[in-house]
Amino acid sequence: MPEAACITPTDPITSMNAPRPLMSLDEALERLVAVASRQVIHEVESVSTFDALGRVLAEDVSSALDVPPADNTSMDGYALRVADVPAAGTVLPQSQRIPAGAVGQPLLPGTVARIFTGAQLPPGADAIVMQEQAQALEDGRVRIDTVPQPGQWIRRRGEDILNGSTVLARGQRLSPQALGLAASVGRAELRVLRRPRVAVFSTGDELVMPGQPLKPGAIYNSNRYTLRGLLQAAGCEVQDLGIVPDRLEATRAALRAAALHNDLIVTSGGVSVGEEDHLRPAMQAEGRLDLWQIAMKPGKPLAFGAVRRPNVLGGAAPDGSSGEALFVGLPGNPVSSWVTCLVAVLPLLRALQGMPAAALPSLAARADFDWPRPDRRREFLRARFNADGGLELFANQSSGVLTSAAWADGLVDNPAGQAIARGDTVRFLPLANLSAF
């Protein structure tokens, strides 16, 4: 990527008054990730495996044992020697009973051992017959109603994990099943990166909090809840600085406070050329800013820059962090803010944690709708699956209709100028996958 694509201390502030071509979302993501990759979080901490969900591994996890540690049965039934059952209906005496957690004795030739799922195979046995294919007789013997095959229903030592093998790789985000895998090799604690620290605030004198009286001209601050929730779901430590008044000094003070202990600052609204929009001059005073027009709908305006940490003239802060906090200014419309956070901020957070760049997680789905008049920009349409397995659209795709976001299962990622006819295959971004991206 050319150096001019990155924000550096010498990058000029681009004037919003000058017309500029729309930037593709892919180019914007490339620039965001490139800058964030230079400020990767390196601080590491040990946490209980119980508490590591969503954290990013700071080191490989290797196994110090075979899993399973010994041959065992995957069924309730009878352990036996195949050679002792030449035909269905063979009757053999039961010589022992082996519950899970117990270790049996060597299997006497010509006998069977009653055994339960997960129990270690007794030496000498080479097959398991499930209990549904055998019958315990009143005299204590067992009739085997099938001819067993060598190795059937036996889980072999190390067939899942071999001693010394890497089971989880450094840099991966820990899912519930990954935690179970770590536990299966005996890891009670894991070394992980500290969580990304993100400050969030909204600007605008028209904003009030739920529970407060809604005076004429005011609106409730929904973006504060949406963005905070998205960032918490992505595993961040969120510092909520609330609503900042539409005054330059208040905005500058909020930026300084946000930069002090955070890796990233995320705001919604206020980056414009209006007399009451103070984020742009505040950012110019406290750091640097680039204003982008992204070829996407909803969410065209996006601001990206950095804020100097107070008392850090250059290099790193005393805690080892960078001398600046990254800044992303999102549009104020609620759906625009939500979509741009999903498709732009979450990939940036991956880069801050040293995770590899990756395409937004998607799947192919059938459109059960028509979209005959596409926009010239790349569109993210709110949609959900219907009972027939196809996608239907929310009726109102306006960027101000937050109902569509709560209703949707995900976003149809529609290329610029691409009409959609009922029955077409479209690229669908499930919300569950994006939130865990």
Side-chain angles (χ1 to χ4, degrees), residues 41-270:
I41 297 166
H42 295 293
E43 296 95 319
V44 175
E45 57 191 21
S46 292
V47 300
S48 166
T49 303
F50 273 122
D51 300 322
L53 182 64
R55 304 297 294 270
V56 175
L57 270 177
E59 62 184 14
D60 291 345
V61 174
S62 298
S63 178
L65 73 160
D66 292 323
V67 178
D71 293 353
N72 69 85
T73 175
S74 62
M75 290 285 179
D76 291 342
Y78 296 89
L80 48 73
R81 287 181 170 86
V82 170
D84 290 338
V85 187
T90 298
V91 177
L92 298 171
Q94 178 179 315
S95 59
Q96 58 180 311
R97 184 177 185 275
I98 312 172
V103 178
Q105 300 298 315
L107 184 65
L108 295 174
T111 71
V112 299
R114 181 72 165 114
I115 197 166
F116 297 89
T117 302
Q120 184 172 317
L121 196 70
D126 59 6
I128 302 293
V129 171
M130 67 175 69
Q131 61 187 18
E132 293 85 355
Q133 295 179 326
Q135 183 174 349
L137 304 178
E138 292 183 359
D139 61 5
R141 295 184 301 166
V142 179
R143 187 180 72 222
I144 307 301
D145 295 327
T146 186
V147 177
Q149 299 299 310
Q152 72 179 29
W153 307 120
I154 294 174
R155 294 184 291 217
R156 295 298 183 185
R157 174 178 178 170
E159 74 172 35
D160 185 9
I161 301 168
L162 291 174
N163 189 346
S165 62
T166 298
V167 296
L168 296 170
R170 177 183 179 274
Q172 77 176 86
R173 191 184 299 280
L174 291 164
S175 63
Q177 55 270 32
L179 300 185
L181 186 56
S184 76
V185 298
R187 291 294 295 267
E189 291 190 342
L190 296 169
R191 298 276 286 169
V192 297
L193 295 179
R194 70 156 171 83
R195 295 182 186 275
R197 300 172 186 143
V198 185
V200 179
F201 66 85
S202 306
T203 63
D205 289 340
E206 77 280 9
L207 299 175
V208 298
M209 292 299 295
Q212 297 177 348
L214 195 63
K215 62 184 180 181
I219 58 173
Y220 286 123
N221 186 3
S222 63
N223 286 350
R224 181 177 180 183
Y225 290 82
T226 303
L227 297 178
R228 178 187 173 103
L230 282 174
L231 294 167
Q232 287 177 328
C236 300
E237 291 182 8
V238 180
Q239 181 185 11
D240 186 345
L241 296 179
I243 301 170
V244 176
D246 277 330
R247 290 185 289 278
L248 178 59
E249 284 307 315
T251 306
R252 290 185 62 178
L255 289 172
R256 289 193 297 269
L260 190 58
H261 297 296
N262 292 290
D263 306 294
L264 174 66
I265 304 167
V266 178
T267 67
S268 61

Side-chain angles (χ1 to χ4, degrees), residues 241-407:
L241 296 179
I243 301 170
V244 176
D246 277 330
R247 290 185 289 278
L248 178 59
E249 284 307 315
T251 306
R252 290 185 62 178
L255 289 172
R256 289 193 297 269
L260 190 58
H261 297 296
N262 292 290
D263 306 294
L264 174 66
I265 304 167
V266 178
T267 67
S268 61
V271 181
S272 184
V273 293
E275 293 180 3
E276 298 300 322
D277 293 319
H278 298 295
L279 262 175
R280 185 168 65 98
M283 282 294 300
Q284 292 172 341
E286 300 295 335
R288 58 187 185 279
L289 183 69
D290 198 4
L291 298 165
W292 299 342
Q293 299 290 305
I294 310 298
M296 61 179 284
K297 181 182 180 182
K300 183 171 73 170
L302 185 75
F304 183 52
V307 180
R308 293 184 301 275
R309 298 188 196 281
N311 303 320
V312 179
L313 298 179
D319 63 357
S321 58
S322 167
E324 61 185 16
L326 297 181
F327 171 87
V328 177
L330 303 178
N333 280 328
V335 179
S336 300
S337 179
W338 173 65
V339 170
T340 49
C341 188
L342 284 171
V343 304
V345 175
L346 298 191
L348 183 153
L349 288 169
R350 283 177 59 90
L352 277 176
Q353 296 172 90
M355 302 172 72
L360 297 171
S362 66
L363 53 86
R366 184 187 73 244
D368 284 354
F369 61 88
D370 295 308
W371 192 250
R373 292 179 293 277
D375 197 85
R376 64 187 179 89
R377 296 171 285 166
R378 181 175 174 180
E379 296 174 289
F380 292 93
L381 308 172
R382 278 77 73 202
R384 74 177 180 189
F385 286 106
N386 57 32
D388 296 323
L391 291 174
E392 57 186 39
L393 288 185
F394 193 78
N396 189 339
Q397 292 288 319
S398 167
S399 62
V401 180
L402 194 56
T403 311
S404 65
W407 173 91

